[in-house]
Amino acid sequence: MSSFNMIIGIVPRGSAELLTHAAVKAGAGGGTISRGKGTAANSILQLLGFADSDKDLVYVLTPSENTKKIMTAMIDVSSEKKQPFGILFTLSVNSFIRTGEILGAGKEDNMSNTTHQLITVIVNKGFADDAMAAARKAGAGGGTIMNARGTAKEGDATFFGMEIVPEKDMILILAENAKVQPILDAIRELPCLAKPGSGIAYVSPAENFTLLGKRK
């Protein structure tokens, strides 16, 4: 059974279709687009596509043997864009669910080949700024905040131990390996997260980290 990768791109608002169209032409079955907002204030970090502006997030799930071809197409279509344009990276996907089937083979994470990790934090709406401030103090350069919503049916009390509140904030923080644990520790100590079930966080290795746009 084939293993899979999730290709993730973060680009300026309105640019997502540029990447998804290139991915489909390269053999991808399609993609998913969501909206977010960059939070970086440091001018150097604007190079990483995390400036304070609206963002599009692109998700493309593909068998691992097709990842390089699809990423190359997405990079090529971005090559003429003026810097800063965005970032592109992949996550290993051990399994995913589609119409009742569990697809994808288990695959051991090879952390020795990664320089960055993606920290995903999900909190009740209104607490994203607190979490991001704590992450910055612990060494995070910036992040992307997305509005989300709970999907549990009425009557469910918790989801992964987290209280069901319809509106959520999701924060994506791409961090160097050495900074991941300090960032997680800082977020864990927030007063707004002291109550059990008020938030969750998880980490995935970010493979093939690449800056998009023409290099100077």
Side-chain angles (χ1 to χ4, degrees), residues 25-185:
K25 287 183 179 179
T32 300
I33 298 170
S34 63
R35 291 183 173 183
K37 183 177 181 179
T39 64
N42 189 314
S43 60
I44 296 176
L45 293 166
Q46 292 179 359
L47 180 65
L48 299 181
F50 284 117
D52 285 325
S53 59
D54 291 335
K55 301 293 181 185
D56 280 344
L57 285 86
V58 179
Y59 305 86
V60 177
L61 186 65
T62 179
S64 57
E65 60 266 26
N66 296 338
T67 300
K68 183 176 180 180
K69 179 181 178 182
I70 293 171
M71 285 193 69
T72 297
M74 296 168 82
I75 292 169
D76 286 347
V77 79
S78 306
S79 62
E80 298 303 317
K81 290 293 181 178
K82 183 179 180 181
Q83 266 186 322
F85 183 65
I87 60 174
L88 193 69
F89 57 93
T90 66
L91 301 178
S92 296
V93 176
N94 292 334
S95 63
F96 65 96
I97 297 173
R98 183 180 67 192
T99 60
E101 297 177 277
I102 299 178
L103 306 175
K107 183 175 72 172
E108 294 183 2
D109 291 331
N110 186 358
M111 296 302 298
S112 62
N113 293 330
T114 64
T115 60
H116 293 72
Q117 296 186 55
L118 180 67
I119 304 170
T120 302
V121 184
I122 303 175
V123 295
N124 292 334
K125 187 172 179 61
F127 294 124
D129 289 340
D130 292 338
M132 195 64 241
R136 277 178 171 164
K137 288 181 180 179
T144 300
I145 299 172
M146 297 187 297
N147 295 324
R149 62 183 179 88
T151 59
K153 63 182 182 296
E154 186 177 356
D156 286 346
T158 61
F159 175 72
F160 282 111
M162 188 175 180
E163 292 182 352
I164 297 300
V165 175
E167 293 186 288
K168 306 287 184 186
D169 284 335
M170 177 182 290
I171 310 146
L172 305 181
I173 302 170
L174 194 64
E176 297 173 2
N177 290 339
K179 296 180 179 180
V180 170
Q181 193 58 50
I183 292 171
L184 288 175
D185 291 342

